[in-house]
Amino acid sequence: MKLYLIRHGQTDWNVAGKIQGSTDIPLNDTGRRQASCLAEGMRRRPVETVFCSHLTRAYETAKAIGDSQKVPVEMVRGLEEVGYGVWEGMTMEEIRDRYPKELEQWYTSPVDVAPPEGESQTEVYERCGRAVEEILGRSHGDVAIVSHGATVVFLLEYLLRDESRDEEDDIIVGNASISTIDYNPDTKTFTLLELNDRAHLKDL
């Protein structure tokens, strides 16, 4: 069984460098073109279901795949982006200017410290785990999971938690990228096959 972990297409806030988090920002024109190219790239990766977060940018991206493959799109709570609280809508420069102390605390201990009114890494990791376990429990074939930049990283870390990895290696996934994990239900093991594939966007 394969899990295709996908980040949504581009939004205007991506371009502006603004923190989106739980704020419901739709795809921009480029993001919609990316979603169309992504759907084409997924044709050689047929799935039984496309799961996504309830945020519009993820749903629009997921629907492009679902429509292309004529499979259902289902929203799953827990796949939404990290909640950044009062920092949402700001650039990192604005956050440094307005919340220097809170930002330093977050950088120092992001596992336990949350942005003001936001989520800690521990909280996000736990909800991502619950969401993907729900998906695995409901699925029998290959599936696509359309989520968000930081959330895809947490999903990867959860699924690959038993694999050794250099902690200094940051995982970064681009807009409309595909990361592929193979799941063996007999051994309950996960193997990373592909990370941040964006070859389908070559014409953009």
Side-chain angles (χ1 to χ4, degrees):
M1 175 182 178
K2 289 184 175 59
L3 308 176
Y4 300 106
L5 305 184
I6 296 167
R7 183 184 176 191
H8 62 78
Q10 186 188 90
T11 71
D12 285 342
W13 279 23
N14 287 146
V15 177
K18 293 183 178 182
I19 302 294
Q20 294 184 116
S22 59
T23 306
D24 199 7
I25 306 300
L27 300 180
N28 60 18
D29 288 342
T30 297
R32 285 187 281 274
R33 290 195 297 272
Q34 288 177 336
S36 178
C37 291
L38 170 67
E40 185 64 30
M42 284 293 293
R43 283 183 176 274
R44 64 182 179 89
R45 305 171 172 100
V47 297
E48 66 174 22
T49 309
V50 184
F51 297 98
C52 68
S53 92
H54 68 281
L55 294 174
T56 301
R57 57 191 184 272
Y59 177 74
E60 288 180 318
T61 306
K63 191 172 186 300
I65 301 169
D67 288 350
S68 173
Q69 298 197 18
K70 296 180 171 55
V71 296
V73 175
E74 298 185 19
M75 297 182 185
V76 175
R77 286 286 174 180
L79 294 179
E80 54 271 9
E81 181 60 296
V82 176
Y84 289 99
V86 299
W87 293 351
E88 294 182 11
M90 299 183 190
T91 65
M92 287 305 297
E93 183 177 351
E94 289 170 332
I95 295 169
R96 288 190 188 95
D97 287 343
R98 296 176 61 179
Y99 295 93
K101 180 181 177 181
E102 292 85 352
L103 185 62
E104 178 62 27
Q105 291 173 334
W106 183 67
Y107 273 142
T108 301
S109 185
V111 172
D112 303 309
V113 175
E117 300 178 26
E119 295 179 286
S120 69
Q121 288 188 2
T122 297
E123 291 171 321
V124 180
Y125 183 86
E126 289 174 351
R127 70 165 164 82
C128 285
R130 290 192 295 270
V132 78
E133 292 294 347
E134 176 186 341
I135 290 168
L136 289 173
R138 293 166 54 185
S139 306
H140 302 285
D142 297 351
V143 299
I145 302 174
V146 182
S147 189
H148 306 264
T151 310
V152 169
V153 172
F154 280 106
L155 289 167
L156 285 165
E157 290 183 347
Y158 179 83
L159 294 169
L160 303 174
R161 60 193 180 278
D162 294 329
E163 289 193 3
S164 60
R165 184 175 69 85
D166 188 343
E167 294 298 327
E168 298 301 316
D169 292 342
D170 289 335
I171 301 174
I172 299 175
V173 292
N175 286 117
S177 65
I178 305 169
S179 297
T180 306
I181 287 185
D182 183 71
Y183 171 55
N184 185 327
D186 295 326
T187 60
K188 307 291 185 185
T189 55
F190 300 88
T191 304
L192 180 64
L193 302 180
E194 189 175 49
L195 179 66
N196 194 37
D197 175 33
R198 303 183 79 211
H200 45 279
L201 303 179
K202 62 182 182 298
D203 295 329
L204 289 180

